Amino acid sequence: MIKVAITGNIASGKSAVQKIIQEQGYKVLDSDLVGHELLDKIPEIKTLFNEDDILNSDGKINREQLGKIVFGNKDKKIELEQIIHPAIKDEIMKFFDLNKSETAVFVGIPLLFESNMRDIFDKAVLIYTDDVTRKKRLILRNNYTPEYADARMAAQMSQDEKKLLCDYIIYNNGTLSDLETQVKVFLNQLSML
């Protein structure tokens, strides 16, 4: 089984790539969704932020509010990551185990290098989108201010650094059809390994 990490910075199009790969019949795990589900299952997170207003009226963590806090406070961001990254890694390992009969499995993992999880994958593919396009997407899609979009983008390792650490690069500056073509070429290359 080939274990492939799909990485890329915020608003690069990882979800679109994951969807295309799933449509081709492969198993895909989205570590962002795993992280969202784990937020309310790990009591230490609520304890860490007990002085902050991060809970909705139903007692669940408000991810948007949590994001604003951690992207404005580097220490809290590091503390949160020290709690959540090992839990996400455990879920990824379970996913590998559940799908060990597959020829290839994929995990969408934006913080592949930042979370030090590169070593659990055989291959890594970077979804690369120019910064101007990513910022526009964040402002339109997420309703971010330009300043907050910049802060979120700056919080991640640069795409150019990641390019040097990945086995494949898919450029997502064109249409969805262009992206689909590139993903299919990538999957074809992968199947020849």
Side-chain angles (χ1 to χ4, degrees):
M1 176 177 72
I2 302 170
K3 299 174 213 135
V4 185
I6 303 166
T7 195
N9 287 11
I10 192 167
S12 61
K14 292 176 302 298
S15 297
V17 170
Q18 289 170 202
K19 187 171 182 262
I20 295 164
I21 291 171
Q22 249 175 336
E23 287 167 355
Q24 297 302 307
Y26 293 96
K27 304 275 186 195
V28 180
L29 179 72
D30 186 329
S31 71
D32 268 352
L33 294 180
V34 169
H36 299 166
E37 288 169 13
L38 289 171
L39 279 179
D40 288 300
K41 293 180 181 173
I42 303 173
E44 294 89 342
I45 295 173
K46 286 183 183 175
T47 304
L48 175 63
F49 293 94
N50 68 350
E51 292 175 14
D52 300 296
D53 181 25
I54 63 158
L55 300 180
N56 290 323
S57 57
D58 61 1
K60 293 199 183 292
I61 292 174
N62 180 317
R63 290 187 301 107
E64 194 63 38
Q65 189 60 28
L66 180 65
K68 286 180 180 164
I69 292 165
V70 297
F71 287 102
N73 183 327
K74 194 175 182 180
D75 292 337
K76 286 238 175 159
K77 182 176 182 282
I78 290 167
E79 285 182 74
L80 174 63
E81 288 172 346
Q82 286 171 340
I83 295 168
I84 200 125
H85 287 169
I88 291 171
K89 185 176 182 178
D90 289 345
E91 293 301 314
I92 292 170
M93 298 312 281
K94 285 179 198 169
F95 172 74
F96 289 160
D97 199 44
L98 278 171
N99 294 290
K100 57 184 166 222
S101 62
E102 298 290 326
T103 54
V105 294
F106 298 81
V107 177
I109 180 163
L111 300 178
L112 175 66
F113 302 106
E114 295 92 334
S115 64
N116 296 312
M117 286 194 229
R118 175 59 182 95
D119 62 332
I120 66 171
F121 294 94
D122 302 310
K123 298 290 177 187
V125 57
L126 174 69
I127 314 309
Y128 188 104
T129 304
D130 69 73
D131 291 345
V132 173
T133 303
R134 291 192 308 118
K135 185 173 178 176
K136 279 182 192 167
R137 285 180 187 165
L138 284 173
I139 292 167
L140 290 170
R141 179 187 80 186
N142 297 46
N143 208 18
Y144 288 171
T145 64
E147 297 76 26
Y148 189 57
D150 287 335
R152 291 295 300 260
M153 288 168 63
Q156 292 179 308
M157 179 192 289
S158 84
Q159 296 186 99
D160 290 326
E161 284 178 84
K162 289 180 181 181
K163 266 170 97 169
L164 303 173
L165 301 169
C166 287
D167 304 289
Y168 301 93
I169 299 157
I170 293 174
Y171 292 93
N172 185 21
N173 295 312
T175 65
L176 189 57
S177 175
D178 295 336
L179 183 64
E180 234 172 272
T181 301
Q182 283 191 74
V183 171
K184 286 176 181 172
V185 167
F186 157 68
L187 290 172
N188 193 40
Q189 291 172 335
L190 201 62
S191 70
M192 293 183 203
L193 294 178

